Amino acid sequence: ELKTPDFSLVDLYTNFKIQENIKFQVEVSNLFNRAYAEHLSRTLSSNNQQRLLERGRSFNIGVFVNF
């Protein structure tokens, strides 16, 4: 079994009310775009020496409206 290197990630999240029934949300995952693999992730090669990396930096933006 391959040893999995340690890793740390920084995620940011905020939301605020635009109006009483409207909320705006912004999220950034993996802010510093670190390359990492979870311990149980699949491998890319037949000899199991290279793990499949997790996703890099990603952004999510949302608007929520209550009716």
Side-chain angles (χ1 to χ4, degrees):
E1 183 173 312
L2 289 176
K3 179 174 171 52
T4 305
D6 296 339
F7 63 89
S8 295
L9 301 175
V10 175
D11 297 336
L12 297 177
Y13 169 87
T14 190
N15 69 58
F16 57 92
K17 282 187 178 180
I18 296 173
Q19 294 181 359
E20 186 60 33
N21 65 330
I22 301 173
K23 183 173 75 171
F24 181 74
Q25 170 182 309
V26 177
E27 178 182 5
V28 181
S29 299
N30 194 0
L31 179 65
F32 300 116
N33 202 26
R34 301 282 185 209
Y36 70 99
E38 295 284 353
H39 180 69
L40 297 177
S41 65
R42 292 178 282 165
T43 57
L44 291 174
S45 59
S46 60
N47 62 4
N48 295 334
Q49 294 301 307
Q50 185 179 7
R51 291 196 188 276
L52 182 62
L53 296 177
E54 300 297 326
R55 68 181 179 168
R57 182 185 305 120
S58 63
F59 301 90
N60 293 306
I61 298 173
V63 177
F64 299 89
V65 180
N66 291 327
F67 294 98

